[in-house]
Amino acid sequence: MTHPSTDLVTLLETLASYGERYRLEVGLDPEEDWIPADRLLDPTSTELTQVLEAERVGSGQVSAHAVALTVMAVYAGTVTAPALLAWALYGVVLDVRPENMALRLSDHHGFEAVALRRPRLVDVSGMTAGERLGLLVSQVLDDHLFPLADALRTHSRAGKRQLNGGIAQGCAAAFGAASRIPGADVDALQRAYEEFLAACPQELGRLGEMVRLAEDGREGLFYLRRTCCLFYTADHGEKCASCCLDSVEDRVANYRRILTGGAVPH
């Protein structure tokens, strides 16, 4: 991994070219309904209730803990995903601490937009590669996703292991989704994911497995989770392509279809 020779604007454009989950907006319009991410870490906040209610309506979930698990997986796979990809591509650290992030709700499922409140890269001059990775893990997990999981657990009584499973899946998705973009360096993204995972608490590594698949000349990274997000308990009754209630063989078959142009997994 090397530092980019481009400015922050170009970096954000590069990240967005990998897909909507990596798009970060800047220059927040005060007239728009942006929700400060740090408010979601308070289990009693109206903002966390607002996010959970929007997901309940959008996804059709029928239980509070299922809504919380869905929010955790979607959040981990979008809000902090750009920082993981920026590090994987260039070894830089975007400031994605919760006090520097904001999000806008979708009318359907998930988040319509994610923004940096103060667009900047963290100054990592003089740091070794290991120190930069440690800083990334600290900001993404210790400062952001783990506290959000604690808030969701308090608010909904969702299980800690299942919430951490959503974190593990979301972080893996940041690398896996990028690997399936035409022209992506799958080798580099796989190495980056393995380095990131090695720097995380060991518990996350036990909650799933990344696999590399190839089909019809295309290849990519896919995650086989070992915890259930209860997506199938929603009104629609559909399981996601990564559902751990399905066998590994069935999930791999789903993923191979995705490589050849099928639907993207939940």
Side-chain angles (χ1 to χ4, degrees):
M1 295 182 291
T2 58
H3 291 280
S5 58
T6 56
D7 60 13
L8 180 59
V9 172
T10 304
L11 172 62
L12 295 181
E13 290 174 350
T14 300
L15 296 177
S17 72
Y18 278 77
E20 285 301 310
R21 77 170 64 231
Y22 307 104
R23 184 178 302 279
L24 286 171
E25 296 192 17
V26 296
L28 276 62
D29 185 339
E31 298 299 319
E32 295 179 340
D33 295 326
W34 290 103
I35 298 174
D38 53 342
R39 293 293 300 142
L40 304 182
L41 307 189
D42 178 358
T44 66
S45 70
T46 57
E47 290 86 353
L48 182 60
T49 299
Q50 180 184 0
V51 168
L52 290 167
E53 177 61 14
E55 183 59 43
R56 184 191 68 80
V57 173
S59 64
Q61 285 289 8
V62 295
S63 69
H65 62 285
V67 173
L69 294 176
T70 300
V71 166
M72 188 74 259
V74 173
Y75 192 102
T78 54
V79 178
T80 56
L84 298 183
L85 186 58
W87 170 79
L89 295 178
Y90 300 118
V92 299
V93 180
L94 278 168
D95 184 0
V96 292
R97 293 173 298 171
E99 60 266 28
N100 196 39
M101 304 293 292
L103 52 96
R104 196 167 63 234
L105 294 172
S106 169
D107 292 334
H108 304 289
H109 165 60
F111 306 111
E112 181 180 76
V114 178
L116 291 172
R117 293 155 78 172
R118 296 174 301 279
R120 72 184 189 93
L121 291 169
V122 180
D123 183 5
V124 295
S125 57
M127 287 187 179
T128 66
E131 289 170 336
R132 292 197 299 273
L133 175 54
L135 177 61
L136 174 79
V137 170
S138 177
Q139 288 199 1
V140 170
L141 295 180
D142 300 328
D143 296 343
H144 205 146
L145 298 183
F146 286 154
L148 176 59
D150 289 340
L152 288 169
R153 186 182 182 193
T154 299
H155 192 284
S156 69
R157 298 185 180 180
K160 180 178 179 180
R161 185 174 185 273
Q162 287 175 294
L163 287 166
N164 283 344
I167 293 174
Q169 179 200 20
C171 290
F175 298 90
S179 75
R180 302 191 292 274
I181 299 298
D185 188 337
V186 183
D187 290 332
L189 288 166
Q190 183 174 15
R191 286 194 301 269
Y193 171 72
E194 292 169 353
E195 290 176 22
F196 172 78
L197 189 63
C200 293
Q202 290 185 354
E203 178 186 0
L204 291 190
R206 294 192 288 265
L207 298 177
E209 176 188 5
M210 188 80 90
V211 294
R212 182 168 178 168
L213 303 175
E215 191 77 16
D216 293 345
R218 300 185 62 187
E219 62 178 338
L221 304 174
F222 294 90
Y223 190 68
L224 297 170
R225 62 183 301 168
R226 299 187 180 118
T227 63
C228 185
C229 66
L230 301 181
F231 189 66
Y232 74 95
T233 64
D235 289 337
H236 52 68
E238 298 175 1
K239 289 188 290 187
C240 55
S242 61
C243 185
C244 64
L245 300 179
D246 288 332
S247 68
V248 169
E249 292 76 15
D250 285 344
R251 283 180 281 169
V252 167
N254 286 336
Y255 289 147
R256 290 191 183 281
R257 284 192 287 272
I258 291 165
L259 276 177
T260 57
V264 176
H266 162 71

